[in-house]
């Protein structure tokens, strides 16, 4: 956890303080980016964009909230913006996934982080986006709808479909983490 | 939220994967380049400010009395006239008594200034003739004299004689003219009788010192603005291309004031302040990807980049009934022009060619005003949350100013001008740089202060 004094110094533009903040948060931020990105290279670009945005706007952090929470939101925003540049929104409406199994014996939260990342990486862009925002980044459907310019009901349905697809990955027994973990390696 | 989701979220809160070191190097490079860019920009602003201040100080220094260290303070009085009378050289040439009595004492108890010259202010062609040292164009027509302004009574006649040679030599240095009368006094053989007959103006005219002419100008105008967006880094090239194709500025209306000085040397300097309301136009097909990009972009440009809530609302526009293909956005800017000009005159008209710098401060204070057939509410709502934005640019200006003289102190002005971008508008965090080329026409009213 970064001390408030470090943040204050970083707000003055001190490069060492900025590096301390980067070192403290880069690992977690990279996970956020990996969750949203399709490729590892994209995640690195997202990370770069996010941190540049964080450091350019760090003076706006007013110490009223949690600094890491603030950075997370900026980072998520950078990811969404990055995806926006490649017109992600056009494929948010995915074709119905008909063969979904909902009675998978495996509970996703019991998987390791890397395994979950690998699962998420397999989701179509639209599902992945909503799943990430809602489940892992704490946005509600109204916020997601506003950010992605979709309706709340669309957001809900995307989430349901994402869950079903994840479960189906597990239930179909075709999930082999070692083969799909390329993104995080 | 489901229990399972909570566990998942908590799990990922602490999960960390070390990114490659190259990421930090790239971030560091970008932070450094931004700071360098900002530094350079700030320096340019400082230079502009200092240049403006130096210019104004120079104007003041040239405009107000500068006591010459090498010319003593003297006053004209009857004694000097008497002395002059006793000087045969002078009395052979002109009626000194008439000169001495010509203009009253009120103007005369002033220091003689180095910068002070005697000149004709109205008709320079006539001046040239009158100044002919060979006497070929000796003044024979009192009417010509009437057009000139004579300053004989400003100096003791003896000093006039001493200084005459150097003054004549300064003839037409810049716009300063030596009094032809002095030249005549010094070099031409003119009898007293001739002087009385031919030079009544010498006796009657008031002194006009060569002086700077200050003016105040109020103007209004319109501009066509051609805008070009440039990506600060190559990764935003497509973004810039899309926006250049979908958005353009169409016009600005403006009004402001200028205060300026016309020097006797024909040079002038002016500085001022003007407000400009700029309206720009989106011109893209509904629901095209470029339309969407443009709308995202405009929000990004003028909204708080830190506030993601605003930026992505713009996408809603495509879904909530933006039926028109044009959206207007209204901006405000305050501009500070400073310009240097060179003037020449034709009858009733003063023409000034100028170059200068124009520093603009762009304010974006309120919502986008959309001319929409569909739902405009969303657009206005989206922007009402925006904090004001500020950007600074600098343009080089050139143009020509026509001032039609209504009377000795009032003129109507017309000023076509073009501004070429030097430094573009941009917020530090925004990836694009906006450069404006402006083609404008201003109409104004100029009042001579003295």
């Amino acid at each position: 956890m970064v001390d408030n004094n470090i943040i204050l110094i970083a707000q003055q533009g001190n490069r060492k303080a900025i590096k301390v903040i980067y070192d403290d948060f880069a690992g977690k931020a990279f996970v956020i980016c990996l969750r949203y990105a399709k490729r590892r290279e994209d995640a690195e670009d997202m990370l770069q964009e996010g941190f540049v945005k964080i450091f350019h706007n760090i003076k706006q952090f007013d110490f009223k909230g949690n600094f890491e929470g603030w950075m997370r939101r900026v980072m998520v925003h950078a990811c969404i913006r990055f995806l926006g540049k490649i017109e992600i929104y056009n494929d948010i409406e995915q074709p119905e996934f008909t063969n979904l199994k909902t009675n998978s014996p495996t509970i996703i939260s019991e998987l390791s982080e890397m395994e979950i990342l690998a699962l998420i990486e397999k989701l179509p862009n639209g599902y992945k986006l909503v799943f990430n925002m809602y489940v892992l980044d704490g946005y509600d459907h109204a916020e997601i709808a506003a950010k992605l310019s979709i309706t709340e009901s669309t957001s809900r349905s995307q989430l349901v479909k994402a869950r079903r697809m994840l479960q189906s990955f597990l239930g179909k027994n075709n999930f082999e983490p070692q083969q799909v973990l390329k993104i995080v390696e | 939220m489901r229990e399972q989701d909570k566990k998942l979220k908590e799990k990922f809160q602490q999960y960390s994967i070390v990114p490659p070191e190259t990421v930090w190097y790239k971030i560091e490079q970008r932070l450094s380049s931004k700071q360098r860019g900002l530094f350079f920009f700030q320096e340019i602003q400082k230079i502009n400010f200092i240049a403006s201040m130096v210019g104004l100080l120079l104007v003041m220094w040239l405009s107000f009395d500068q006591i010459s260290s090498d010319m003593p303070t003297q006053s004209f009085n009857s004694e000097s006239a008497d002395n002059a009378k006793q000087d045969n050289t002078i009395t052979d040439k002109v009626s000194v008594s008439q000169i001495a009595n010509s203009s009253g004492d009120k103007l005369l108890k002033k220091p003689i200034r180095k910068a002070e010259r005697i000149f004709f202010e109205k008709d320079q062609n006539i001046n040239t003739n009158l100044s002919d040292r060979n006497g070929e164009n000796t003044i024979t027509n009192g009417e010509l004299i009437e057009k000139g302004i004579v300053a004989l009574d400003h100096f003791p006649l003896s000093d006039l004689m001493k200084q005459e040679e150097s003054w004549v030599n300064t003839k037409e240095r810049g716009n300063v003219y030596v009094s032809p009368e002095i030249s005549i006094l010094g070099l031409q053989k003119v009898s007293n009788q001739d002087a009385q007959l031919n030079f009544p103006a010498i006796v009657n005219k008031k002194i006009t010192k060569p002086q700077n002419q200050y003016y105040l100008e109020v103007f209004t105008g319109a501009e066509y603005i051609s805008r070009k967006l440039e990506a600060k880094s190559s990764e935003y090239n497509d973004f810039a291309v899309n926006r250049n194709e979908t958005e353009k500025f169409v016009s600005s209306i403006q009004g402001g004031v200028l205060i300026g000085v016309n020097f006797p040397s024909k040079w002038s300097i002016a500085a001022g302040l003007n407000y400009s309301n700029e309206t720009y136009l989106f011109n893209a097909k509904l629901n095209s990807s470029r339309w969407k990009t443009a709308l995202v972009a405009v929000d990004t440009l003028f909204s708080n980049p830190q506030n993601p809530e605003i930026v992505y609302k713009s996408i809603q526009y495509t879904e909530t009934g933006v039926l028109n293909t044009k959206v207007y956005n209204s901006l405000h800017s305050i501009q500070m022009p400073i310009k240097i000009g060179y003037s020449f005159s034709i009858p009733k008209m003063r023409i000034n060619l100028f170059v200068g710098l124009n520093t603009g401060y762009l304010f974006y204070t309120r919502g986008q005003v959309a001319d929409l057939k569909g739902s405009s509410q969303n657009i206005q709502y989206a922007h009402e949350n925006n904090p004001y934005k500020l950007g600074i640019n600098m343009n080089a200006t050139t143009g020509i100013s026509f001032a039609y003289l209504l009377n000795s102190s009032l003129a109507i002005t017309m000023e076509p001008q073009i501004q070429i971008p030097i430094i573009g508008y941009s917020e530090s965090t925004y990836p694009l740089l906006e450069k404006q080329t402006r083609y404008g026409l201003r109409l104004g009213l100029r009042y001579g202060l003295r």
Side-chain angles (χ1 to χ4, degrees), chain B residues 38-78:
Chain B
L38 193 61
F39 176 78
F40 172 75
F41 182 73
Q42 287 170 342
E43 288 305 302
I44 289 288
Q45 294 299 313
K46 283 179 190 170
I47 290 167
N48 183 35
F49 178 77
I50 291 167
S52 302
M53 290 300 105
V54 168
L56 286 174
L57 287 173
L58 192 65
V59 168
M60 292 168 70
W61 181 77
L62 291 172
S63 304
F64 296 103
D65 294 346
Q66 175 70 28
I67 297 176
S68 168
S69 59
D70 59 0
M71 295 187 76
T73 300
Q74 297 192 35
S75 62
F76 185 88
N77 53 38
S78 57

Side-chain angles (χ1 to χ4, degrees), chain B residues 341-359:
Chain B
Y342 186 80
S343 299
F344 55 94
S345 299
I346 57 176
K348 286 277 199 181
M349 183 82 80
R350 185 182 180 95
I351 299 171
N352 183 266
L353 303 170
F354 64 85
V355 293
L357 286 173
N358 194 78
T359 306

Side-chain angles (χ1 to χ4, degrees), chain A residues 15 19 27 44 48-49 56-57 60 72 74 77 81 89 108-109 111 113-114 116 147 149 163, chain B residues 2 4-5 8 11 13 15-17 20 24 26 30 32 235-236 306 308 312 315-316 319 429:
Chain A
R15 195 51 60 85
K19 183 67 164 67
E44 290 175 10
Q48 189 190 136
E49 291 296 324
H56 276 147
N57 295 283
Q60 296 180 18
R72 277 183 180 277
V74 176
H77 172 61
R81 184 171 171 177
Y89 308 108
I108 191 169
S109 61
L111 297 173
E113 292 92 339
M114 287 183 77
I116 297 166
K147 280 188 178 297
S149 291
R163 287 185 198 281
Chain B
R2 299 177 180 185
Q4 189 177 334
D5 288 350
L8 204 57
K11 193 174 235 178
Q13 288 280 331
Y15 185 43
S16 171
I17 297 175
W24 167 248
K26 288 178 183 173
R30 286 182 61 182
S32 300
E235 62 187 308
Y236 292 103
Q306 186 52 35
Y312 284 91
I315 297 169
Q316 289 181 333
E319 297 180 353
T429 55

Side-chain angles (χ1 to χ4, degrees), chain A residues 18 22 26 30 35 43-44 46 48 58 61 85 88 90 99 105 111 117 158 162 172 175 183:
Chain A
I18 286 172
Y22 174 82
F30 194 40
R35 282 197 278 112
E44 290 175 10
M46 289 173 176
Q48 189 190 136
I58 195 167
F61 178 69
K85 284 198 298 188
I88 187 71
N90 288 340
N99 263 338
L111 297 173
L117 266 182
Q158 296 289 305
K172 277 183 171 179
F175 173 60
I183 191 171

Side-chain angles (χ1 to χ4, degrees), chain A residues 70-82:
Chain A
W70 178 80
M71 287 197 294
R72 277 183 180 277
R73 287 185 77 85
V74 176
M75 194 59 71
V76 169
H77 172 61
C79 294
I80 295 170
R81 184 171 171 177
F82 185 93

